[in-house]
PDB file of all heavy atoms in Angstrom:
ATOM      1  N   PHE A 298     -31.325 -34.392  44.785  1.00  0.00           N
ATOM      2  CA  PHE A 298     -31.160 -35.586  43.950  1.00  0.00           C
ATOM      3  C   PHE A 298     -32.529 -36.177  43.651  1.00  0.00           C
ATOM      4  O   PHE A 298     -33.337 -36.380  44.557  1.00  0.00           O
ATOM      5  CB  PHE A 298     -30.286 -36.616  44.682  1.00  0.00           C
ATOM      6  CG  PHE A 298     -30.053 -37.870  43.892  1.00  0.00           C
ATOM      7  CD1 PHE A 298     -28.987 -37.975  43.012  1.00  0.00           C
ATOM      8  CD2 PHE A 298     -30.915 -38.961  44.021  1.00  0.00           C
ATOM      9  CE1 PHE A 298     -28.780 -39.127  42.268  1.00  0.00           C
ATOM     10  CE2 PHE A 298     -30.719 -40.122  43.290  1.00  0.00           C
ATOM     11  CZ  PHE A 298     -29.645 -40.206  42.408  1.00  0.00           C
ATOM     12  N   LEU A 299     -32.780 -36.465  42.373  1.00  0.00           N
ATOM     13  CA  LEU A 299     -34.084 -36.971  41.950  1.00  0.00           C
ATOM     14  C   LEU A 299     -33.948 -38.324  41.263  1.00  0.00           C
ATOM     15  O   LEU A 299     -33.532 -38.396  40.109  1.00  0.00           O
ATOM     16  CB  LEU A 299     -34.743 -35.978  40.990  1.00  0.00           C
ATOM     17  CG  LEU A 299     -34.889 -34.560  41.552  1.00  0.00           C
ATOM     18  CD1 LEU A 299     -34.184 -33.550  40.679  1.00  0.00           C
ATOM     19  CD2 LEU A 299     -36.356 -34.186  41.721  1.00  0.00           C
ATOM     20  N   PRO A 300     -34.254 -39.423  41.972  1.00  0.00           N
ATOM     21  CA  PRO A 300     -34.277 -40.719  41.316  1.00  0.00           C
ATOM     22  C   PRO A 300     -35.527 -40.854  40.452  1.00  0.00           C
ATOM     23  O   PRO A 300     -36.460 -40.041  40.567  1.00  0.00           O
ATOM     24  CB  PRO A 300     -34.300 -41.713  42.478  1.00  0.00           C
ATOM     25  CG  PRO A 300     -34.805 -40.969  43.645  1.00  0.00           C
ATOM     26  CD  PRO A 300     -34.585 -39.509  43.400  1.00  0.00           C
ATOM     27  N   GLY A 301     -35.536 -41.882  39.602  1.00  0.00           N
ATOM     28  CA  GLY A 301     -36.658 -42.045  38.688  1.00  0.00           C
ATOM     29  C   GLY A 301     -37.659 -43.096  39.114  1.00  0.00           C
ATOM     30  O   GLY A 301     -37.941 -43.273  40.295  1.00  0.00           O
ATOM     31  N   GLY A 302     -38.133 -43.820  38.111  1.00  0.00           N
ATOM     32  CA  GLY A 302     -39.370 -44.585  38.204  1.00  0.00           C
ATOM     33  C   GLY A 302     -40.385 -43.812  37.388  1.00  0.00           C
ATOM     34  O   GLY A 302     -40.374 -42.567  37.377  1.00  0.00           O
ATOM     35  N   HIS A 303     -41.241 -44.515  36.642  1.00  0.00           N
ATOM     36  CA  HIS A 303     -42.176 -43.816  35.748  1.00  0.00           C
ATOM     37  C   HIS A 303     -43.093 -42.837  36.483  1.00  0.00           C
ATOM     38  O   HIS A 303     -43.577 -41.882  35.891  1.00  0.00           O
ATOM     39  CB  HIS A 303     -43.014 -44.821  34.960  1.00  0.00           C
ATOM     40  CG  HIS A 303     -42.302 -45.377  33.762  1.00  0.00           C
ATOM     41  ND1 HIS A 303     -41.702 -46.620  33.763  1.00  0.00           N
ATOM     42  CD2 HIS A 303     -42.081 -44.850  32.544  1.00  0.00           C
ATOM     43  CE1 HIS A 303     -41.147 -46.832  32.582  1.00  0.00           C
ATOM     44  NE2 HIS A 303     -41.350 -45.792  31.818  1.00  0.00           N
ATOM     45  N   GLY A 304     -43.312 -43.067  37.783  1.00  0.00           N
ATOM     46  CA  GLY A 304     -44.161 -42.142  38.540  1.00  0.00           C
ATOM     47  C   GLY A 304     -43.688 -40.705  38.442  1.00  0.00           C
ATOM     48  O   GLY A 304     -44.495 -39.766  38.431  1.00  0.00           O
ATOM     49  N   ALA A 305     -42.364 -40.532  38.341  1.00  0.00           N
ATOM     50  CA  ALA A 305     -41.772 -39.186  38.285  1.00  0.00           C
ATOM     51  C   ALA A 305     -42.260 -38.382  37.084  1.00  0.00           C
ATOM     52  O   ALA A 305     -42.228 -37.152  37.083  1.00  0.00           O
ATOM     53  CB  ALA A 305     -40.245 -39.284  38.255  1.00  0.00           C
ATOM     54  N   MET A 306     -42.728 -39.087  36.044  1.00  0.00           N
ATOM     55  CA  MET A 306     -43.203 -38.400  34.828  1.00  0.00           C
ATOM     56  C   MET A 306     -44.526 -37.673  35.068  1.00  0.00           C
ATOM     57  O   MET A 306     -44.906 -36.790  34.308  1.00  0.00           O
ATOM     58  CB  MET A 306     -43.407 -39.427  33.712  1.00  0.00           C
ATOM     59  CG  MET A 306     -42.145 -40.131  33.266  1.00  0.00           C
ATOM     60  SD  MET A 306     -41.140 -39.100  32.187  1.00  0.00           S
ATOM     61  CE  MET A 306     -42.104 -39.160  30.675  1.00  0.00           C
ATOM     62  N   TYR A 307     -45.234 -38.068  36.106  1.00  0.00           N
ATOM     63  CA  TYR A 307     -46.589 -37.556  36.329  1.00  0.00           C
ATOM     64  C   TYR A 307     -46.651 -36.395  37.307  1.00  0.00           C
ATOM     65  O   TYR A 307     -47.247 -35.365  37.011  1.00  0.00           O
ATOM     66  CB  TYR A 307     -47.500 -38.694  36.836  1.00  0.00           C
ATOM     67  CG  TYR A 307     -47.713 -39.773  35.808  1.00  0.00           C
ATOM     68  CD1 TYR A 307     -46.785 -40.801  35.672  1.00  0.00           C
ATOM     69  CD2 TYR A 307     -48.812 -39.763  34.962  1.00  0.00           C
ATOM     70  CE1 TYR A 307     -46.958 -41.795  34.725  1.00  0.00           C
ATOM     71  CE2 TYR A 307     -49.002 -40.750  34.007  1.00  0.00           C
ATOM     72  CZ  TYR A 307     -48.068 -41.763  33.888  1.00  0.00           C
ATOM     73  OH  TYR A 307     -48.233 -42.746  32.951  1.00  0.00           O
ATOM     74  N   ASP A 308     -46.046 -36.562  38.485  1.00  0.00           N
ATOM     75  CA  ASP A 308     -46.247 -35.522  39.499  1.00  0.00           C
ATOM     76  C   ASP A 308     -45.091 -34.537  39.641  1.00  0.00           C
ATOM     77  O   ASP A 308     -45.289 -33.418  40.097  1.00  0.00           O
ATOM     78  CB  ASP A 308     -46.584 -36.133  40.870  1.00  0.00           C
ATOM     79  CG  ASP A 308     -45.555 -37.122  41.391  1.00  0.00           C
ATOM     80  OD1 ASP A 308     -44.594 -37.452  40.654  1.00  0.00           O
ATOM     81  OD2 ASP A 308     -45.696 -37.591  42.538  1.00  0.00           O
ATOM     82  N   LEU A 309     -43.874 -34.927  39.227  1.00  0.00           N
ATOM     83  CA  LEU A 309     -42.742 -34.019  39.448  1.00  0.00           C
ATOM     84  C   LEU A 309     -42.680 -32.840  38.463  1.00  0.00           C
ATOM     85  O   LEU A 309     -42.335 -31.730  38.871  1.00  0.00           O
ATOM     86  CB  LEU A 309     -41.415 -34.788  39.445  1.00  0.00           C
ATOM     87  CG  LEU A 309     -41.278 -35.902  40.497  1.00  0.00           C
ATOM     88  CD1 LEU A 309     -39.833 -36.412  40.543  1.00  0.00           C
ATOM     89  CD2 LEU A 309     -41.725 -35.456  41.886  1.00  0.00           C
ATOM     90  N   PRO A 310     -43.029 -33.024  37.166  1.00  0.00           N
ATOM     91  CA  PRO A 310     -42.875 -31.904  36.233  1.00  0.00           C
ATOM     92  C   PRO A 310     -43.764 -30.704  36.549  1.00  0.00           C
ATOM     93  O   PRO A 310     -43.424 -29.575  36.216  1.00  0.00           O
ATOM     94  CB  PRO A 310     -43.271 -32.496  34.881  1.00  0.00           C
ATOM     95  CG  PRO A 310     -43.141 -33.966  35.032  1.00  0.00           C
ATOM     96  CD  PRO A 310     -43.439 -34.255  36.470  1.00  0.00           C
ATOM     97  N   LYS A 311     -44.917 -30.953  37.167  1.00  0.00           N
ATOM     98  CA  LYS A 311     -45.850 -29.829  37.347  1.00  0.00           C
ATOM     99  C   LYS A 311     -46.077 -29.465  38.817  1.00  0.00           C
ATOM    100  O   LYS A 311     -47.076 -28.844  39.156  1.00  0.00           O
ATOM    101  CB  LYS A 311     -47.174 -30.128  36.639  1.00  0.00           C
ATOM    102  CG  LYS A 311     -47.799 -31.465  36.993  1.00  0.00           C
ATOM    103  CD  LYS A 311     -49.088 -31.675  36.187  1.00  0.00           C
ATOM    104  CE  LYS A 311     -49.892 -32.842  36.714  1.00  0.00           C
ATOM    105  NZ  LYS A 311     -49.454 -34.140  36.256  1.00  0.00           N
ATOM    106  N   HIS A 312     -45.120 -29.847  39.654  1.00  0.00           N
ATOM    107  CA  HIS A 312     -45.267 -29.525  41.078  1.00  0.00           C
ATOM    108  C   HIS A 312     -44.635 -28.151  41.338  1.00  0.00           C
ATOM    109  O   HIS A 312     -43.428 -27.991  41.270  1.00  0.00           O
ATOM    110  CB  HIS A 312     -44.580 -30.595  41.925  1.00  0.00           C
ATOM    111  CG  HIS A 312     -44.922 -30.503  43.371  1.00  0.00           C
ATOM    112  ND1 HIS A 312     -44.396 -29.535  44.206  1.00  0.00           N
ATOM    113  CD2 HIS A 312     -45.768 -31.242  44.148  1.00  0.00           C
ATOM    114  CE1 HIS A 312     -44.892 -29.695  45.430  1.00  0.00           C
ATOM    115  NE2 HIS A 312     -45.720 -30.708  45.416  1.00  0.00           N
ATOM    116  N   PRO A 313     -45.466 -27.130  41.652  1.00  0.00           N
ATOM    117  CA  PRO A 313     -44.939 -25.756  41.741  1.00  0.00           C
ATOM    118  C   PRO A 313     -43.826 -25.600  42.773  1.00  0.00           C
ATOM    119  O   PRO A 313     -42.831 -24.913  42.538  1.00  0.00           O
ATOM    120  CB  PRO A 313     -46.155 -24.903  42.122  1.00  0.00           C
ATOM    121  CG  PRO A 313     -47.334 -25.792  42.125  1.00  0.00           C
ATOM    122  CD  PRO A 313     -46.905 -27.209  41.913  1.00  0.00           C
ATOM    123  N   LYS A 314     -43.962 -26.256  43.927  1.00  0.00           N
ATOM    124  CA  LYS A 314     -42.939 -26.125  44.971  1.00  0.00           C
ATOM    125  C   LYS A 314     -41.617 -26.740  44.510  1.00  0.00           C
ATOM    126  O   LYS A 314     -40.543 -26.191  44.761  1.00  0.00           O
ATOM    127  CB  LYS A 314     -43.437 -26.799  46.264  1.00  0.00           C
ATOM    128  CG  LYS A 314     -42.460 -26.689  47.429  1.00  0.00           C
ATOM    129  CD  LYS A 314     -42.185 -25.218  47.794  1.00  0.00           C
ATOM    130  CE  LYS A 314     -41.074 -25.064  48.808  1.00  0.00           C
ATOM    131  NZ  LYS A 314     -41.469 -25.305  50.182  1.00  0.00           N
ATOM    132  N   LEU A 315     -41.710 -27.866  43.812  1.00  0.00           N
ATOM    133  CA  LEU A 315     -40.486 -28.510  43.331  1.00  0.00           C
ATOM    134  C   LEU A 315     -39.795 -27.635  42.283  1.00  0.00           C
ATOM    135  O   LEU A 315     -38.570 -27.495  42.286  1.00  0.00           O
ATOM    136  CB  LEU A 315     -40.798 -29.895  42.747  1.00  0.00           C
ATOM    137  CG  LEU A 315     -39.603 -30.658  42.182  1.00  0.00           C
ATOM    138  CD1 LEU A 315     -38.473 -30.791  43.213  1.00  0.00           C
ATOM    139  CD2 LEU A 315     -40.034 -32.035  41.678  1.00  0.00           C
ATOM    140  N   GLN A 316     -40.581 -27.014  41.405  1.00  0.00           N
ATOM    141  CA  GLN A 316     -39.986 -26.129  40.388  1.00  0.00           C
ATOM    142  C   GLN A 316     -39.252 -24.964  41.057  1.00  0.00           C
ATOM    143  O   GLN A 316     -38.168 -24.560  40.637  1.00  0.00           O
ATOM    144  CB  GLN A 316     -41.064 -25.589  39.435  1.00  0.00           C
ATOM    145  CG  GLN A 316     -41.938 -26.647  38.791  1.00  0.00           C
ATOM    146  CD  GLN A 316     -41.165 -27.857  38.321  1.00  0.00           C
ATOM    147  OE1 GLN A 316     -40.059 -27.731  37.799  1.00  0.00           O
ATOM    148  NE2 GLN A 316     -41.700 -29.037  38.513  1.00  0.00           N
ATOM    149  N   GLU A 317     -39.859 -24.458  42.119  1.00  0.00           N
ATOM    150  CA  GLU A 317     -39.250 -23.366  42.894  1.00  0.00           C
ATOM    151  C   GLU A 317     -37.932 -23.846  43.541  1.00  0.00           C
ATOM    152  O   GLU A 317     -36.919 -23.146  43.498  1.00  0.00           O
ATOM    153  CB  GLU A 317     -40.262 -22.958  43.969  1.00  0.00           C
ATOM    154  CG  GLU A 317     -39.959 -21.718  44.752  1.00  0.00           C
ATOM    155  CD  GLU A 317     -41.020 -21.544  45.846  1.00  0.00           C
ATOM    156  OE1 GLU A 317     -42.231 -21.464  45.515  1.00  0.00           O
ATOM    157  OE2 GLU A 317     -40.630 -21.514  47.018  1.00  0.00           O
ATOM    158  N   LEU A 318     -37.972 -25.048  44.123  1.00  0.00           N
ATOM    159  CA  LEU A 318     -36.776 -25.604  44.755  1.00  0.00           C
ATOM    160  C   LEU A 318     -35.650 -25.800  43.739  1.00  0.00           C
ATOM    161  O   LEU A 318     -34.494 -25.445  44.002  1.00  0.00           O
ATOM    162  CB  LEU A 318     -37.093 -26.955  45.403  1.00  0.00           C
ATOM    163  CG  LEU A 318     -37.795 -26.936  46.758  1.00  0.00           C
ATOM    164  CD1 LEU A 318     -38.281 -28.336  47.124  1.00  0.00           C
ATOM    165  CD2 LEU A 318     -36.884 -26.395  47.846  1.00  0.00           C
ATOM    166  N   LEU A 319     -35.988 -26.342  42.577  1.00  0.00           N
ATOM    167  CA  LEU A 319     -34.964 -26.578  41.552  1.00  0.00           C
ATOM    168  C   LEU A 319     -34.322 -25.262  41.130  1.00  0.00           C
ATOM    169  O   LEU A 319     -33.109 -25.170  40.991  1.00  0.00           O
ATOM    170  CB  LEU A 319     -35.584 -27.299  40.352  1.00  0.00           C
ATOM    171  CG  LEU A 319     -35.951 -28.762  40.606  1.00  0.00           C
ATOM    172  CD1 LEU A 319     -36.843 -29.290  39.488  1.00  0.00           C
ATOM    173  CD2 LEU A 319     -34.708 -29.630  40.756  1.00  0.00           C
ATOM    174  N   ARG A 320     -35.156 -24.237  40.951  1.00  0.00           N
ATOM    175  CA  ARG A 320     -34.623 -22.916  40.584  1.00  0.00           C
ATOM    176  C   ARG A 320     -33.714 -22.372  41.694  1.00  0.00           C
ATOM    177  O   ARG A 320     -32.621 -21.871  41.424  1.00  0.00           O
ATOM    178  CB  ARG A 320     -35.774 -21.937  40.315  1.00  0.00           C
ATOM    179  CG  ARG A 320     -35.301 -20.577  39.795  1.00  0.00           C
ATOM    180  CD  ARG A 320     -36.454 -19.591  39.686  1.00  0.00           C
ATOM    181  NE  ARG A 320     -36.983 -19.251  41.004  1.00  0.00           N
ATOM    182  CZ  ARG A 320     -38.273 -19.316  41.334  1.00  0.00           C
ATOM    183  NH1 ARG A 320     -39.178 -19.702  40.454  1.00  0.00           N
ATOM    184  NH2 ARG A 320     -38.672 -18.980  42.541  1.00  0.00           N
ATOM    185  N   ASP A 321     -34.158 -22.508  42.942  1.00  0.00           N
ATOM    186  CA  ASP A 321     -33.381 -21.973  44.069  1.00  0.00           C
ATOM    187  C   ASP A 321     -32.058 -22.722  44.254  1.00  0.00           C
ATOM    188  O   ASP A 321     -31.034 -22.114  44.537  1.00  0.00           O
ATOM    189  CB  ASP A 321     -34.208 -22.036  45.363  1.00  0.00           C
ATOM    190  CG  ASP A 321     -35.376 -21.055  45.356  1.00  0.00           C
ATOM    191  OD1 ASP A 321     -35.421 -20.195  44.446  1.00  0.00           O
ATOM    192  OD2 ASP A 321     -36.247 -21.154  46.244  1.00  0.00           O
ATOM    193  N   PHE A 322     -32.107 -24.046  44.135  1.00  0.00           N
ATOM    194  CA  PHE A 322     -30.868 -24.831  44.237  1.00  0.00           C
ATOM    195  C   PHE A 322     -29.897 -24.402  43.144  1.00  0.00           C
ATOM    196  O   PHE A 322     -28.721 -24.133  43.411  1.00  0.00           O
ATOM    197  CB  PHE A 322     -31.156 -26.335  44.090  1.00  0.00           C
ATOM    198  CG  PHE A 322     -31.384 -27.042  45.405  1.00  0.00           C
ATOM    199  CD1 PHE A 322     -32.640 -27.055  45.996  1.00  0.00           C
ATOM    200  CD2 PHE A 322     -30.352 -27.708  46.037  1.00  0.00           C
ATOM    201  CE1 PHE A 322     -32.859 -27.709  47.203  1.00  0.00           C
ATOM    202  CE2 PHE A 322     -30.548 -28.376  47.239  1.00  0.00           C
ATOM    203  CZ  PHE A 322     -31.806 -28.374  47.829  1.00  0.00           C
ATOM    204  N   TYR A 323     -30.399 -24.332  41.917  1.00  0.00           N
ATOM    205  CA  TYR A 323     -29.516 -24.024  40.792  1.00  0.00           C
ATOM    206  C   TYR A 323     -28.968 -22.597  40.895  1.00  0.00           C
ATOM    207  O   TYR A 323     -27.760 -22.366  40.737  1.00  0.00           O
ATOM    208  CB  TYR A 323     -30.247 -24.241  39.470  1.00  0.00           C
ATOM    209  CG  TYR A 323     -29.295 -24.246  38.308  1.00  0.00           C
ATOM    210  CD1 TYR A 323     -28.523 -25.363  38.014  1.00  0.00           C
ATOM    211  CD2 TYR A 323     -29.133 -23.100  37.515  1.00  0.00           C
ATOM    212  CE1 TYR A 323     -27.617 -25.361  36.971  1.00  0.00           C
ATOM    213  CE2 TYR A 323     -28.227 -23.087  36.475  1.00  0.00           C
ATOM    214  CZ  TYR A 323     -27.473 -24.219  36.202  1.00  0.00           C
ATOM    215  OH  TYR A 323     -26.563 -24.202  35.177  1.00  0.00           O
ATOM    216  N   ALA A 324     -29.863 -21.659  41.198  1.00  0.00           N
ATOM    217  CA  ALA A 324     -29.439 -20.256  41.308  1.00  0.00           C
ATOM    218  C   ALA A 324     -28.490 -20.057  42.491  1.00  0.00           C
ATOM    219  O   ALA A 324     -27.632 -19.167  42.473  1.00  0.00           O
ATOM    220  CB  ALA A 324     -30.661 -19.347  41.462  1.00  0.00           C
ATOM    221  N   GLY A 325     -28.630 -20.905  43.508  1.00  0.00           N
ATOM    222  CA  GLY A 325     -27.785 -20.809  44.696  1.00  0.00           C
ATOM    223  C   GLY A 325     -26.461 -21.536  44.548  1.00  0.00           C
ATOM    224  O   GLY A 325     -25.755 -21.743  45.534  1.00  0.00           O
ATOM    225  N   ASN A 326     -26.164 -21.959  43.303  1.00  0.00           N
ATOM    226  CA  ASN A 326     -24.892 -22.644  43.031  1.00  0.00           C
ATOM    227  C   ASN A 326     -24.788 -23.971  43.791  1.00  0.00           C
ATOM    228  O   ASN A 326     -23.708 -24.383  44.199  1.00  0.00           O
ATOM    229  CB  ASN A 326     -23.707 -21.730  43.356  1.00  0.00           C
ATOM    230  CG  ASN A 326     -22.537 -21.992  42.430  1.00  0.00           C
ATOM    231  OD1 ASN A 326     -22.715 -22.546  41.349  1.00  0.00           O
ATOM    232  ND2 ASN A 326     -21.347 -21.614  42.846  1.00  0.00           N
ATOM    233  N   LYS A 327     -25.942 -24.600  43.985  1.00  0.00           N
ATOM    234  CA  LYS A 327     -25.972 -25.916  44.634  1.00  0.00           C
ATOM    235  C   LYS A 327     -26.183 -26.980  43.560  1.00  0.00           C
ATOM    236  O   LYS A 327     -26.616 -26.668  42.452  1.00  0.00           O
ATOM    237  CB  LYS A 327     -27.102 -25.954  45.669  1.00  0.00           C
ATOM    238  CG  LYS A 327     -26.908 -24.936  46.784  1.00  0.00           C
ATOM    239  CD  LYS A 327     -28.083 -24.905  47.747  1.00  0.00           C
ATOM    240  CE  LYS A 327     -27.821 -23.915  48.878  1.00  0.00           C
ATOM    241  NZ  LYS A 327     -28.823 -24.032  49.949  1.00  0.00           N
ATOM    242  N   ILE A 328     -25.894 -28.224  43.914  1.00  0.00           N
ATOM    243  CA  ILE A 328     -25.961 -29.294  42.916  1.00  0.00           C
ATOM    244  C   ILE A 328     -27.402 -29.744  42.672  1.00  0.00           C
ATOM    245  O   ILE A 328     -28.169 -29.973  43.607  1.00  0.00           O
ATOM    246  CB  ILE A 328     -25.112 -30.493  43.377  1.00  0.00           C
ATOM    247  CG1 ILE A 328     -23.635 -30.076  43.431  1.00  0.00           C
ATOM    248  CG2 ILE A 328     -25.291 -31.689  42.447  1.00  0.00           C
ATOM    249  CD1 ILE A 328     -22.756 -31.038  44.177  1.00  0.00           C
ATOM    250  N   VAL A 329     -27.747 -29.869  41.390  1.00  0.00           N
ATOM    251  CA  VAL A 329     -29.032 -30.433  40.968  1.00  0.00           C
ATOM    252  C   VAL A 329     -28.709 -31.712  40.192  1.00  0.00           C
ATOM    253  O   VAL A 329     -28.068 -31.660  39.143  1.00  0.00           O
ATOM    254  CB  VAL A 329     -29.809 -29.450  40.072  1.00  0.00           C
ATOM    255  CG1 VAL A 329     -31.076 -30.106  39.529  1.00  0.00           C
ATOM    256  CG2 VAL A 329     -30.159 -28.177  40.848  1.00  0.00           C
ATOM    257  N   ALA A 330     -29.118 -32.860  40.736  1.00  0.00           N
ATOM    258  CA  ALA A 330     -28.791 -34.148  40.112  1.00  0.00           C
ATOM    259  C   ALA A 330     -30.052 -34.988  39.945  1.00  0.00           C
ATOM    260  O   ALA A 330     -30.948 -34.964  40.793  1.00  0.00           O
ATOM    261  CB  ALA A 330     -27.775 -34.902  40.972  1.00  0.00           C
ATOM    262  N   ALA A 331     -30.106 -35.729  38.833  1.00  0.00           N
ATOM    263  CA  ALA A 331     -31.285 -36.557  38.552  1.00  0.00           C
ATOM    264  C   ALA A 331     -30.876 -37.717  37.664  1.00  0.00           C
ATOM    265  O   ALA A 331     -29.957 -37.594  36.854  1.00  0.00           O
ATOM    266  CB  ALA A 331     -32.361 -35.716  37.870  1.00  0.00           C
ATOM    267  N   VAL A 332     -31.589 -38.835  37.805  1.00  0.00           N
ATOM    268  CA  VAL A 332     -31.249 -40.007  36.996  1.00  0.00           C
ATOM    269  C   VAL A 332     -32.509 -40.658  36.419  1.00  0.00           C
ATOM    270  O   VAL A 332     -33.566 -40.648  37.059  1.00  0.00           O
ATOM    271  CB  VAL A 332     -30.423 -41.029  37.831  1.00  0.00           C
ATOM    272  CG1 VAL A 332     -31.242 -41.643  38.950  1.00  0.00           C
ATOM    273  CG2 VAL A 332     -29.812 -42.108  36.947  1.00  0.00           C
ATOM    274  N   CYS A 333     -32.379 -41.187  35.209  1.00  0.00           N
ATOM    275  CA  CYS A 333     -33.406 -41.974  34.535  1.00  0.00           C
ATOM    276  C   CYS A 333     -34.666 -41.133  34.255  1.00  0.00           C
ATOM    277  O   CYS A 333     -34.649 -40.266  33.408  1.00  0.00           O
ATOM    278  CB  CYS A 333     -33.711 -43.223  35.355  1.00  0.00           C
ATOM    279  SG  CYS A 333     -34.564 -44.495  34.421  1.00  0.00           S
TER     280      CYS A 333
END
Side-chain angles (χ1 to χ4, degrees):
F298 181 89
L299 304 122
H303 279 100
M306 296 282 286
Y307 294 85
D308 56 354
L309 301 190
K311 52 182 192 278
H312 192 285
K314 181 60 188 280
L315 179 54
Q316 307 318 321
E317 189 185 302
L318 281 169
L319 289 167
R320 186 186 67 231
D321 291 349
F322 267 85
Y323 193 78
N326 213 21
K327 298 176 178 190
I328 295 166
V329 174
V332 67
C333 197

